[in-house]
Amino acid sequence: MLSQSAVTLGDRQGIVEETQDGDVRHIGYYIPLSGTQVFVVNAVPADSQVWSDFERVLATIRFKP
């Protein structure tokens, strides 16, 4: 694992992890929902030229109560 930190996504707290497999960086967002459910978003490669587009999409995520 390269890094792990707290993140807020859709007004919910979770973690974001960055890992590496060979030359490819991966990023994963893990947001607990209810009970044992976890919302997961993975992005490969994490250093893609479209990363700013991906971040804009993440910013639109909302969870219903």
Side-chain angles (χ1 to χ4, degrees):
M1 179 178 355
L2 297 176
S3 68
Q4 183 181 65
S5 59
V7 69
T8 301
L9 185 63
D11 294 330
R12 292 189 183 241
Q13 300 295 315
I15 60 169
V16 60
E17 289 183 341
E18 189 172 343
T19 59
Q20 188 160 344
D21 183 15
D23 292 338
V24 180
R25 288 177 30 210
H26 301 250
I27 196 159
Y29 290 79
Y30 303 90
I31 310 298
L33 297 176
S34 62
T36 60
Q37 294 180 331
V38 177
F39 178 78
V40 178
V41 176
N42 291 307
V44 179
D47 55 355
S48 168
Q49 292 179 340
V50 296
W51 185 250
S52 61
D53 295 330
F54 181 70
E55 288 182 310
R56 281 193 293 276
V57 171
L58 284 177
T60 68
I61 293 175
R62 299 290 178 261
F63 298 97
K64 291 187 177 185

